[in-house]
Amino acid sequence: MSEPEYAAAGVHDIEQFAAAVRQASSSDAPRILIGIDGPGASGKSTLATLLATALGGAEVVHGDDFYRPSATRPEDDAEVGGQFDLERLLHQVVAPAAAGKEVTYQIYDWDRDELGPWVSVPEGSPLIVEGVYTTELRLRDHYTYRIFCLADRDVRLNRGLARDGESARSQWVDEWMPAEDRYVARQRPDLVADIVLIGNGADVDGPVFHRPTRPRLITTGDAETMRVSSAPAWWPCCAPPGTRAAPWSASPRPASNCRRPPHPWPCTYRRSAAATSSTRPANCR
């Protein structure tokens, strides 16, 4: 399976981005709640740290703290993100945070392979939730802002092995990366993100993130799809009502025809000789 294909454009300014997040977040929202999703070692944690500082000390919750103990981890890969307790992430962090309430959650102890201490986040403070699967379908509508990070596959693997050791290669190559590929192919969190950032680069001062150009042909599984390159007359059915425009368009998404179907149709149409209405779900106009 090919990963989403984006080409790096301009360097992304974190300070300006933080200002844009503040402006984009509704003034009557209980708190700024940002989800940073993306495959392993794509720069999510680094971006979260930089953005938290730029936002004036936002709290950061790490998706890795919701890894399931081996005793409760599913043996197959039927469930998207099954290695992580996404229901616990939803009910302990994301839902109460979206309501502006105090957040209290239990973290996974990687050394002991069991749930460890409890952590609290005060109500109202800006909160960033970073990690793969953090904008999974059950979670994504709660955020005031969604970010998706990408990096080349070899870059991610090298970063992962540098962090976890060569002994973790099989876990990365045979378990984690394929599971992340399936998640992106099935739910396309990159297409409903408010912005996609590419985290391949680095300089003497640390990582560099780039804004992508509009993506070229994308292959997901055995279905070829193509991103609409400008604001179309119809919008993706997966977009929640009233959601802000995706980064490749300046036009707002109309609430009237933005509804989530049973399966996540992204901002694409199935490639055919002509993009006829038969290639679009019934509630896309």
Side-chain angles (χ1 to χ4, degrees):
M1 188 212 78
S2 298
E3 295 179 310
E5 187 177 343
Y6 294 80
V11 173
H12 199 68
D13 185 289
I14 300 298
E15 295 290 341
Q16 291 181 3
F17 181 46
V21 170
R22 290 193 201 95
Q23 184 177 6
S25 299
S26 173
S27 59
D28 60 355
R31 65 165 16 114
I32 293 175
L33 179 60
I34 302 169
I36 303 180
D37 201 345
S42 59
K44 300 180 299 298
S45 298
T46 299
L47 178 61
T49 300
L50 294 171
L51 187 54
T53 300
L55 286 170
E59 303 284 344
V60 177
V61 172
H62 302 285
D64 283 353
D65 288 338
F66 292 83
Y67 200 65
R68 292 182 187 270
S70 57
T72 63
R73 210 173 300 151
E75 296 182 359
D76 58 36
D77 56 11
E79 180 185 357
V80 169
Q83 299 161 321
F84 292 83
D85 194 339
L86 299 181
E87 284 294 317
R88 189 164 68 84
L89 177 60
L90 172 63
H91 294 296
Q92 290 186 357
V93 176
V94 177
K101 299 178 181 178
E102 180 182 12
V103 169
T104 302
Y105 64 98
Q106 197 171 11
I107 66 174
Y108 172 69
D109 187 324
W110 285 79
D111 293 327
R112 299 171 64 89
D113 188 26
E114 62 185 24
L115 294 183
W118 289 81
V119 176
S120 294
V121 177
E123 63 181 50
S125 60
L127 183 63
I128 300 171
V129 183
E130 70 81 20
V132 62
Y133 308 112
T134 54
T135 62
E136 193 266 348
L137 283 172
R138 286 166 285 184
L139 306 168
R140 63 179 53 160
D141 287 354
H142 292 277
Y143 297 105
T144 57
Y145 211 88
R146 296 183 295 260
I147 304 168
F148 192 84
C149 288
L150 284 171
D152 290 343
R153 200 174 190 83
D154 57 344
V155 170
R156 295 194 288 112
L157 181 58
N158 289 337
R159 287 174 178 171
L161 296 182
R163 181 184 67 194
D164 301 331
E166 182 62 32
S167 61
R169 177 178 292 272
S170 177
Q171 201 164 22
W172 272 91
V173 173
D174 301 324
E175 185 178 346
W176 292 339
M177 297 178 90
E180 293 163 2
D181 289 344
R182 289 190 294 273
Y183 163 55
V184 174
R186 292 174 186 175
Q187 297 195 6
R188 294 314 300 266
D190 57 315
L191 296 187
V192 294
D194 291 280
I195 193 167
V196 175
L197 295 178
I198 301 174
N200 286 333
D203 61 17
V204 293
D205 296 319
V208 174
F209 292 90
H210 292 82
R211 299 182 305 277
T213 58
R214 296 184 181 114
R216 296 180 289 276
L217 180 67
I218 300 169
T219 303
T220 55
D222 58 357
E224 286 188 321
T225 59
M226 185 175 292
R227 176 81 62 81
V228 175
S229 61
S230 60
W234 55 278
W235 280 99
C237 302
C238 59
T243 301
R244 290 179 302 280
W248 57 89
S249 168
S251 302
R253 297 170 180 169
S256 61
N257 65 340
C258 284
R259 295 188 295 272
R260 172 173 293 159
H263 59 285
W265 267 79
C267 313
T268 64
Y269 56 85
R270 291 192 179 277
R271 197 180 186 196
S272 60
T276 64
S277 59
S278 63
T279 64
R280 304 171 186 170
N283 64 337
C284 275
R285 303 188 290 277

